[in-house]
Amino acid sequence: MELTGLMLTFITLFSLEKAPAQTVVFASTTGTSVPCPAGGAPPASLRWYLATGEEIYDVPGIRHVHPNGTLQIFNFLPSSFSKLIHDNTYYCTAENPTGKIRSQDVHIKAVSREPYTVRVADQKAMRGSVAVFKCIIPASVEAYVTVVSWEKDTVSLSSVFHERGRGLSGHNIKLSHSRTELLISGFCWEQ
């Protein structure tokens, strides 16, 4: 009977109440907080680690673990970006005399909010061949930018393609799956 009581204590009184999200993306201008909500009787000690198993430490004004187990990463200037802190995988643990549990890995990634320019790469094509135009998006924002339209002289080529399947004086227009490439068949120099 005493053994059952110990098992019940471990199962019912010591648990992660809500697992943190598996990926947290935040703007460098706002910072973020990730909770490690756990409960236990007696109270649990909450700690955060890098995926490598190294326990993290407070870095004043940059990263802090609150007594309640919340990991806070403060806002920062893009020039202060540190991959170790701002783009890394973490996990938290909760431990008391009855045992220790570990959360799922949480990837925390900061995104800098700074101006960027999207451009079309210069392209050469032979008359009558297929011209491939590639939209160049800076790598720092590529995961967060979606190409929604291709235009020539303020006329949307994407809408022409979707409405009629043809455009630019009757030439076929195709968009790549990611919409970052525009293919025009039967290309002529005037276009």
Side-chain angles (χ1 to χ4, degrees), residues 78-133:
S79 60
S80 299
F81 176 84
S82 166
K83 186 166 176 56
L84 180 68
I85 293 171
H86 302 114
D87 186 6
N88 211 335
T89 301
Y90 296 80
Y91 65 88
C92 66
T93 63
E95 182 175 14
N96 70 12
T98 61
K100 182 177 182 177
I101 56 174
R102 178 191 190 281
S103 74
Q104 295 179 9
D105 285 351
V106 180
H107 187 83
I108 297 177
K109 180 174 178 59
V111 177
S112 295
R113 296 181 63 142
E114 54 189 82
Y116 64 92
T117 302
V118 175
R119 64 182 182 84
V120 177
D122 290 338
Q123 203 56 262
K124 295 181 181 179
M126 294 182 64
R127 185 184 302 262
S129 67
V130 176
V132 180
F133 295 93

Short mmCIF file of all heavy atoms in Angstrom, two decimals, residues 78-133:
data_model
loop_
_atom_site.label_atom_id
_atom_site.label_comp_id
_atom_site.label_asym_id
_atom_site.label_seq_id
_atom_site.Cartn_x
_atom_site.Cartn_y
_atom_site.Cartn_z
N PRO A 78 19.68 44.59 -34.07
CA PRO A 78 20.18 43.57 -35.00
C PRO A 78 21.70 43.35 -34.90
O PRO A 78 22.17 42.24 -35.05
CB PRO A 78 19.79 44.12 -36.37
CG PRO A 78 18.57 44.94 -36.10
CD PRO A 78 18.82 45.56 -34.74
N SER A 79 22.43 44.39 -34.58
CA SER A 79 23.90 44.25 -34.45
C SER A 79 24.30 43.42 -33.23
O SER A 79 25.43 42.97 -33.13
CB SER A 79 24.54 45.63 -34.38
OG SER A 79 24.06 46.34 -33.26
N SER A 80 23.37 43.20 -32.30
CA SER A 80 23.66 42.41 -31.09
C SER A 80 23.20 40.96 -31.22
O SER A 80 23.20 40.22 -30.23
CB SER A 80 22.97 43.05 -29.88
OG SER A 80 23.45 44.35 -29.68
N PHE A 81 22.79 40.54 -32.41
CA PHE A 81 22.30 39.17 -32.61
C PHE A 81 23.39 38.16 -32.25
O PHE A 81 24.55 38.30 -32.63
CB PHE A 81 21.90 38.98 -34.08
CG PHE A 81 21.49 37.57 -34.39
CD1 PHE A 81 20.18 37.14 -34.16
CD2 PHE A 81 22.40 36.66 -34.92
CE1 PHE A 81 19.80 35.85 -34.45
CE2 PHE A 81 22.02 35.36 -35.22
CZ PHE A 81 20.72 34.96 -34.98
N SER A 82 22.99 37.14 -31.49
CA SER A 82 23.88 36.03 -31.14
C SER A 82 23.14 34.73 -31.44
O SER A 82 22.10 34.46 -30.85
CB SER A 82 24.25 36.08 -29.65
OG SER A 82 24.84 34.86 -29.26
N LYS A 83 23.68 33.94 -32.35
CA LYS A 83 23.03 32.68 -32.72
C LYS A 83 22.85 31.79 -31.49
O LYS A 83 21.84 31.12 -31.34
CB LYS A 83 23.84 31.96 -33.79
CG LYS A 83 23.15 30.72 -34.33
CD LYS A 83 23.81 30.24 -35.61
CE LYS A 83 23.23 28.97 -36.14
NZ LYS A 83 21.81 28.96 -36.40
N LEU A 84 23.80 31.80 -30.58
CA LEU A 84 23.73 30.98 -29.37
C LEU A 84 22.49 31.30 -28.55
O LEU A 84 21.85 30.41 -27.98
CB LEU A 84 24.99 31.18 -28.52
CG LEU A 84 25.04 30.38 -27.23
CD1 LEU A 84 25.17 28.90 -27.52
CD2 LEU A 84 26.18 30.85 -26.36
N ILE A 85 22.11 32.57 -28.51
CA ILE A 85 20.95 32.98 -27.72
C ILE A 85 19.69 33.14 -28.56
O ILE A 85 18.61 32.67 -28.19
CB ILE A 85 21.25 34.30 -26.97
CG1 ILE A 85 22.34 34.04 -25.92
CG2 ILE A 85 20.00 34.89 -26.33
CD1 ILE A 85 22.88 35.27 -25.26
N HIS A 86 19.80 33.79 -29.71
CA HIS A 86 18.64 34.22 -30.48
C HIS A 86 18.18 33.26 -31.58
O HIS A 86 17.19 33.52 -32.24
CB HIS A 86 18.91 35.60 -31.09
CG HIS A 86 19.22 36.63 -30.07
ND1 HIS A 86 20.46 37.22 -29.98
CD2 HIS A 86 18.48 37.16 -29.07
CE1 HIS A 86 20.46 38.09 -28.97
NE2 HIS A 86 19.26 38.06 -28.41
N ASP A 87 18.91 32.17 -31.81
CA ASP A 87 18.51 31.19 -32.82
C ASP A 87 19.05 29.83 -32.39
O ASP A 87 20.02 29.32 -32.94
CB ASP A 87 19.05 31.58 -34.19
CG ASP A 87 18.54 30.69 -35.32
OD1 ASP A 87 17.68 29.82 -35.06
OD2 ASP A 87 19.01 30.84 -36.47
N ASN A 88 18.40 29.26 -31.38
CA ASN A 88 18.90 28.02 -30.80
C ASN A 88 17.75 27.18 -30.28
O ASN A 88 16.62 27.64 -30.18
CB ASN A 88 19.89 28.33 -29.65
CG ASN A 88 20.96 27.27 -29.51
OD1 ASN A 88 20.76 26.12 -29.90
ND2 ASN A 88 22.09 27.65 -28.94
N THR A 89 18.06 25.94 -29.93
CA THR A 89 17.06 25.02 -29.40
C THR A 89 17.29 24.84 -27.91
O THR A 89 18.41 24.59 -27.46
CB THR A 89 17.14 23.67 -30.13
OG1 THR A 89 16.92 23.90 -31.53
CG2 THR A 89 16.08 22.71 -29.62
N TYR A 90 16.21 24.98 -27.16
CA TYR A 90 16.23 24.90 -25.70
C TYR A 90 15.26 23.81 -25.22
O TYR A 90 14.39 23.39 -25.97
CB TYR A 90 15.75 26.22 -25.08
CG TYR A 90 16.60 27.44 -25.35
CD1 TYR A 90 16.51 28.15 -26.55
CD2 TYR A 90 17.46 27.92 -24.38
CE1 TYR A 90 17.26 29.29 -26.77
CE2 TYR A 90 18.22 29.08 -24.60
CZ TYR A 90 18.11 29.75 -25.79
OH TYR A 90 18.85 30.89 -26.01
N TYR A 91 15.41 23.42 -23.97
CA TYR A 91 14.38 22.61 -23.30
C TYR A 91 14.42 22.95 -21.82
O TYR A 91 15.42 23.47 -21.31
CB TYR A 91 14.55 21.11 -23.54
CG TYR A 91 15.80 20.49 -22.96
CD1 TYR A 91 15.81 20.00 -21.64
CD2 TYR A 91 16.95 20.37 -23.72
CE1 TYR A 91 16.95 19.41 -21.12
CE2 TYR A 91 18.10 19.79 -23.20
CZ TYR A 91 18.10 19.31 -21.90
OH TYR A 91 19.22 18.73 -21.37
N CYS A 92 13.32 22.68 -21.13
CA CYS A 92 13.30 22.94 -19.69
C CYS A 92 13.10 21.62 -18.94
O CYS A 92 12.60 20.64 -19.50
CB CYS A 92 12.21 23.94 -19.32
SG CYS A 92 10.53 23.37 -19.56
N THR A 93 13.52 21.63 -17.67
CA THR A 93 13.32 20.47 -16.81
C THR A 93 12.66 20.93 -15.52
O THR A 93 12.79 22.10 -15.12
CB THR A 93 14.65 19.76 -16.46
OG1 THR A 93 15.48 20.66 -15.71
CG2 THR A 93 15.36 19.27 -17.70
N ALA A 94 11.96 20.03 -14.90
CA ALA A 94 11.38 20.26 -13.57
C ALA A 94 11.83 19.08 -12.72
O ALA A 94 11.72 17.92 -13.13
CB ALA A 94 9.86 20.33 -13.66
N GLU A 95 12.34 19.39 -11.52
CA GLU A 95 12.88 18.33 -10.67
C GLU A 95 12.51 18.59 -9.22
O GLU A 95 12.57 19.72 -8.74
CB GLU A 95 14.41 18.29 -10.81
CG GLU A 95 15.07 17.20 -10.02
CD GLU A 95 16.56 17.12 -10.29
OE1 GLU A 95 17.14 18.06 -10.87
OE2 GLU A 95 17.16 16.09 -9.91
N ASN A 96 12.10 17.53 -8.53
CA ASN A 96 11.91 17.55 -7.09
C ASN A 96 12.34 16.18 -6.55
O ASN A 96 12.78 15.33 -7.35
CB ASN A 96 10.47 17.97 -6.72
CG ASN A 96 9.43 16.94 -7.05
OD1 ASN A 96 9.73 15.79 -7.36
ND2 ASN A 96 8.17 17.35 -6.99
N PRO A 97 12.25 15.93 -5.27
CA PRO A 97 12.72 14.65 -4.73
C PRO A 97 12.04 13.41 -5.33
O PRO A 97 12.61 12.32 -5.29
CB PRO A 97 12.44 14.75 -3.23
CG PRO A 97 12.47 16.22 -2.95
CD PRO A 97 11.89 16.86 -4.19
N THR A 98 10.86 13.57 -5.94
CA THR A 98 10.19 12.40 -6.51
C THR A 98 10.64 12.08 -7.93
O THR A 98 10.33 11.03 -8.46
CB THR A 98 8.65 12.58 -6.52
OG1 THR A 98 8.33 13.71 -7.32
CG2 THR A 98 8.11 12.77 -5.12
N GLY A 99 11.36 13.01 -8.58
CA GLY A 99 11.83 12.72 -9.93
C GLY A 99 12.12 13.96 -10.74
O GLY A 99 12.07 15.09 -10.24
N LYS A 100 12.41 13.73 -12.02
CA LYS A 100 12.76 14.81 -12.94
C LYS A 100 12.10 14.54 -14.28
O LYS A 100 12.09 13.40 -14.75
CB LYS A 100 14.29 14.86 -13.11
CG LYS A 100 14.80 15.97 -14.01
CD LYS A 100 16.33 15.96 -14.02
CE LYS A 100 16.89 17.08 -14.86
NZ LYS A 100 18.37 17.11 -14.83
N ILE A 101 11.55 15.59 -14.90
CA ILE A 101 10.97 15.46 -16.23
C ILE A 101 11.55 16.53 -17.12
O ILE A 101 12.06 17.55 -16.65
CB ILE A 101 9.42 15.53 -16.21
CG1 ILE A 101 8.95 16.83 -15.57
CG2 ILE A 101 8.81 14.32 -15.57
CD1 ILE A 101 7.46 17.03 -15.64
N ARG A 102 11.47 16.28 -18.43
CA ARG A 102 12.07 17.16 -19.44
C ARG A 102 10.99 17.52 -20.46
O ARG A 102 10.21 16.68 -20.88
CB ARG A 102 13.21 16.41 -20.13
CG ARG A 102 13.90 17.15 -21.23
CD ARG A 102 14.82 16.16 -21.98
NE ARG A 102 15.71 16.78 -22.92
CZ ARG A 102 15.38 17.19 -24.13
NH1 ARG A 102 14.15 17.06 -24.56
NH2 ARG A 102 16.28 17.73 -24.93
N SER A 103 10.99 18.77 -20.89
CA SER A 103 10.03 19.21 -21.92
C SER A 103 10.51 18.77 -23.29
O SER A 103 11.64 18.31 -23.46
CB SER A 103 9.88 20.73 -21.90
OG SER A 103 11.04 21.35 -22.47
N GLN A 104 9.67 18.98 -24.28
CA GLN A 104 10.08 18.83 -25.67
C GLN A 104 11.06 19.95 -26.00
O GLN A 104 11.09 20.98 -25.32
CB GLN A 104 8.88 18.95 -26.60
CG GLN A 104 7.86 17.87 -26.45
CD GLN A 104 6.68 18.10 -27.41
OE1 GLN A 104 6.71 18.97 -28.28
NE2 GLN A 104 5.64 17.31 -27.24
N ASP A 105 11.85 19.76 -27.05
CA ASP A 105 12.73 20.83 -27.51
C ASP A 105 11.90 21.99 -28.03
O ASP A 105 10.84 21.79 -28.61
CB ASP A 105 13.63 20.33 -28.65
CG ASP A 105 14.76 19.43 -28.15
OD1 ASP A 105 14.93 19.32 -26.92
OD2 ASP A 105 15.44 18.85 -28.99
N VAL A 106 12.38 23.20 -27.78
CA VAL A 106 11.74 24.43 -28.26
C VAL A 106 12.79 25.21 -29.03
O VAL A 106 13.82 25.60 -28.48
CB VAL A 106 11.24 25.29 -27.08
CG1 VAL A 106 10.58 26.56 -27.59
CG2 VAL A 106 10.31 24.52 -26.18
N HIS A 107 12.53 25.42 -30.34
CA HIS A 107 13.47 26.24 -31.13
C HIS A 107 13.03 27.69 -31.01
O HIS A 107 11.89 28.03 -31.33
CB HIS A 107 13.51 25.80 -32.59
CG HIS A 107 14.58 26.51 -33.34
ND1 HIS A 107 15.89 26.11 -33.32
CD2 HIS A 107 14.56 27.65 -34.08
CE1 HIS A 107 16.62 26.94 -34.04
NE2 HIS A 107 15.83 27.89 -34.50
N ILE A 108 13.94 28.52 -30.54
CA ILE A 108 13.66 29.95 -30.38
C ILE A 108 14.46 30.70 -31.44
O ILE A 108 15.67 30.52 -31.53
CB ILE A 108 14.01 30.43 -28.96
CG1 ILE A 108 13.12 29.69 -27.94
CG2 ILE A 108 13.86 31.93 -28.84
CD1 ILE A 108 13.42 30.01 -26.50
N LYS A 109 13.76 31.49 -32.25
CA LYS A 109 14.41 32.19 -33.36
C LYS A 109 13.96 33.64 -33.40
O LYS A 109 12.77 33.93 -33.45
CB LYS A 109 14.06 31.52 -34.68
CG LYS A 109 14.70 32.19 -35.89
CD LYS A 109 14.44 31.41 -37.16
CE LYS A 109 15.02 32.05 -38.38
NZ LYS A 109 16.44 32.26 -38.36
N ALA A 110 14.94 34.53 -33.37
CA ALA A 110 14.67 35.97 -33.48
C ALA A 110 14.73 36.38 -34.94
O ALA A 110 15.55 35.88 -35.70
CB ALA A 110 15.69 36.76 -32.68
N VAL A 111 13.85 37.29 -35.31
CA VAL A 111 13.84 37.84 -36.66
C VAL A 111 14.04 39.34 -36.53
O VAL A 111 13.33 40.01 -35.77
CB VAL A 111 12.50 37.54 -37.37
CG1 VAL A 111 12.48 38.18 -38.75
CG2 VAL A 111 12.26 36.05 -37.46
N SER A 112 15.03 39.85 -37.24
CA SER A 112 15.30 41.29 -37.20
C SER A 112 14.35 42.01 -38.14
O SER A 112 14.18 41.61 -39.28
CB SER A 112 16.74 41.57 -37.61
OG SER A 112 17.61 41.01 -36.68
N ARG A 113 13.78 43.08 -37.65
CA ARG A 113 12.90 43.90 -38.47
C ARG A 113 13.74 45.04 -39.03
O ARG A 113 13.96 46.04 -38.36
CB ARG A 113 11.74 44.41 -37.63
CG ARG A 113 10.86 43.27 -37.13
CD ARG A 113 9.72 43.81 -36.34
NE ARG A 113 8.91 44.65 -37.21
CZ ARG A 113 7.61 44.70 -37.18
NH1 ARG A 113 6.96 43.99 -36.33
NH2 ARG A 113 6.96 45.49 -38.00
N GLU A 114 14.20 44.84 -40.24
CA GLU A 114 14.99 45.87 -40.90
C GLU A 114 14.57 45.93 -42.35
O GLU A 114 14.03 44.98 -42.90
CB GLU A 114 16.48 45.58 -40.74
CG GLU A 114 16.90 44.20 -41.19
CD GLU A 114 18.33 43.90 -40.81
OE1 GLU A 114 18.57 43.51 -39.67
OE2 GLU A 114 19.19 44.05 -41.69
N PRO A 115 14.81 47.05 -42.99
CA PRO A 115 14.40 47.20 -44.39
C PRO A 115 15.08 46.16 -45.29
O PRO A 115 16.21 45.76 -45.03
CB PRO A 115 14.86 48.60 -44.76
CG PRO A 115 15.14 49.30 -43.48
CD PRO A 115 15.47 48.24 -42.48
N TYR A 116 14.36 45.73 -46.31
CA TYR A 116 14.93 44.81 -47.29
C TYR A 116 14.34 45.13 -48.65
O TYR A 116 13.31 45.79 -48.76
CB TYR A 116 14.66 43.35 -46.91
CG TYR A 116 13.20 42.97 -46.92
CD1 TYR A 116 12.60 42.46 -48.07
CD2 TYR A 116 12.41 43.14 -45.79
CE1 TYR A 116 11.27 42.13 -48.09
CE2 TYR A 116 11.07 42.80 -45.80
CZ TYR A 116 10.51 42.29 -46.95
OH TYR A 116 9.17 41.97 -46.96
N THR A 117 15.01 44.68 -49.69
CA THR A 117 14.56 44.92 -51.05
C THR A 117 14.44 43.59 -51.79
O THR A 117 15.35 42.76 -51.72
CB THR A 117 15.56 45.82 -51.80
OG1 THR A 117 15.67 47.05 -51.08
CG2 THR A 117 15.10 46.11 -53.22
N VAL A 118 13.33 43.42 -52.47
CA VAL A 118 13.13 42.26 -53.34
C VAL A 118 13.38 42.73 -54.76
O VAL A 118 12.95 43.81 -55.14
CB VAL A 118 11.68 41.72 -53.20
CG1 VAL A 118 11.42 40.61 -54.17
CG2 VAL A 118 11.43 41.25 -51.77
N ARG A 119 14.14 41.94 -55.52
CA ARG A 119 14.45 42.36 -56.89
C ARG A 119 14.34 41.18 -57.83
O ARG A 119 14.29 40.03 -57.40
CB ARG A 119 15.83 42.99 -56.96
CG ARG A 119 16.96 42.05 -56.61
CD ARG A 119 18.33 42.73 -56.66
NE ARG A 119 19.38 41.80 -56.38
CZ ARG A 119 19.94 40.99 -57.26
NH1 ARG A 119 19.54 41.01 -58.51
NH2 ARG A 119 20.90 40.15 -56.92
N VAL A 120 14.34 41.46 -59.11
CA VAL A 120 14.33 40.43 -60.14
C VAL A 120 15.73 40.33 -60.70
O VAL A 120 16.34 41.34 -61.07
CB VAL A 120 13.31 40.75 -61.26
CG1 VAL A 120 13.38 39.70 -62.36
CG2 VAL A 120 11.90 40.85 -60.69
N ALA A 121 16.26 39.11 -60.76
CA ALA A 121 17.60 38.89 -61.29
C ALA A 121 17.64 39.21 -62.78
O ALA A 121 16.69 38.91 -63.51
CB ALA A 121 18.02 37.45 -61.04
N ASP A 122 18.73 39.82 -63.22
CA ASP A 122 18.92 40.07 -64.65
C ASP A 122 18.93 38.73 -65.37
O ASP A 122 19.48 37.74 -64.88
CB ASP A 122 20.24 40.79 -64.90
CG ASP A 122 20.20 42.23 -64.39
OD1 ASP A 122 19.10 42.78 -64.24
OD2 ASP A 122 21.28 42.79 -64.12
N GLN A 123 18.31 38.70 -66.54
CA GLN A 123 18.17 37.44 -67.26
C GLN A 123 18.42 37.63 -68.75
O GLN A 123 18.07 38.65 -69.31
CB GLN A 123 16.75 36.89 -67.05
CG GLN A 123 16.59 35.43 -67.25
CD GLN A 123 17.53 34.61 -66.39
OE1 GLN A 123 18.57 34.18 -66.87
NE2 GLN A 123 17.18 34.41 -65.14
N LYS A 124 19.01 36.63 -69.36
CA LYS A 124 19.21 36.63 -70.81
C LYS A 124 18.51 35.40 -71.35
O LYS A 124 18.52 34.34 -70.74
CB LYS A 124 20.70 36.58 -71.15
CG LYS A 124 21.43 37.81 -70.71
CD LYS A 124 22.89 37.75 -71.07
CE LYS A 124 23.56 39.02 -70.59
NZ LYS A 124 24.98 39.04 -70.86
N ALA A 125 17.88 35.57 -72.53
CA ALA A 125 17.20 34.45 -73.17
C ALA A 125 17.28 34.64 -74.68
O ALA A 125 17.32 35.76 -75.17
CB ALA A 125 15.73 34.38 -72.74
N MET A 126 17.31 33.53 -75.39
CA MET A 126 17.34 33.59 -76.85
C MET A 126 15.91 33.74 -77.37
O MET A 126 14.97 33.23 -76.76
CB MET A 126 17.98 32.32 -77.41
CG MET A 126 19.45 32.21 -77.03
SD MET A 126 20.23 30.76 -77.72
CE MET A 126 20.12 31.11 -79.45
N ARG A 127 15.77 34.41 -78.51
CA ARG A 127 14.46 34.60 -79.12
C ARG A 127 13.78 33.23 -79.32
O ARG A 127 14.39 32.28 -79.77
CB ARG A 127 14.62 35.29 -80.47
CG ARG A 127 13.28 35.63 -81.14
CD ARG A 127 13.47 36.24 -82.51
NE ARG A 127 14.28 37.44 -82.48
CZ ARG A 127 13.78 38.68 -82.48
NH1 ARG A 127 12.49 38.86 -82.52
NH2 ARG A 127 14.58 39.71 -82.48
N GLY A 128 12.53 33.15 -78.90
CA GLY A 128 11.74 31.94 -79.06
C GLY A 128 11.94 30.92 -77.94
O GLY A 128 11.23 29.92 -77.88
N SER A 129 12.87 31.16 -77.04
CA SER A 129 13.10 30.21 -75.95
C SER A 129 12.25 30.58 -74.72
O SER A 129 11.43 31.49 -74.78
CB SER A 129 14.58 30.18 -75.57
OG SER A 129 14.96 31.42 -75.01
N VAL A 130 12.50 29.90 -73.62
CA VAL A 130 11.80 30.20 -72.37
C VAL A 130 12.67 31.13 -71.54
O VAL A 130 13.84 30.84 -71.29
CB VAL A 130 11.49 28.91 -71.56
CG1 VAL A 130 10.85 29.25 -70.23
CG2 VAL A 130 10.60 27.98 -72.37
N ALA A 131 12.12 32.24 -71.14
CA ALA A 131 12.83 33.18 -70.26
C ALA A 131 12.39 32.89 -68.83
O ALA A 131 11.20 32.78 -68.55
CB ALA A 131 12.49 34.62 -70.63
N VAL A 132 13.37 32.75 -67.94
CA VAL A 132 13.08 32.47 -66.53
C VAL A 132 13.53 33.67 -65.71
O VAL A 132 14.71 34.01 -65.68
CB VAL A 132 13.81 31.20 -66.05
CG1 VAL A 132 13.50 30.94 -64.57
CG2 VAL A 132 13.42 30.00 -66.90
N PHE A 133 12.58 34.31 -65.07
CA PHE A 133 12.87 35.45 -64.22
C PHE A 133 12.75 34.99 -62.77
O PHE A 133 11.74 34.40 -62.39
CB PHE A 133 11.89 36.59 -64.49
CG PHE A 133 12.03 37.15 -65.88
CD1 PHE A 133 11.24 36.66 -66.91
CD2 PHE A 133 12.96 38.15 -66.14
CE1 PHE A 133 11.37 37.17 -68.20
CE2 PHE A 133 13.08 38.66 -67.43
CZ PHE A 133 12.30 38.17 -68.45
#
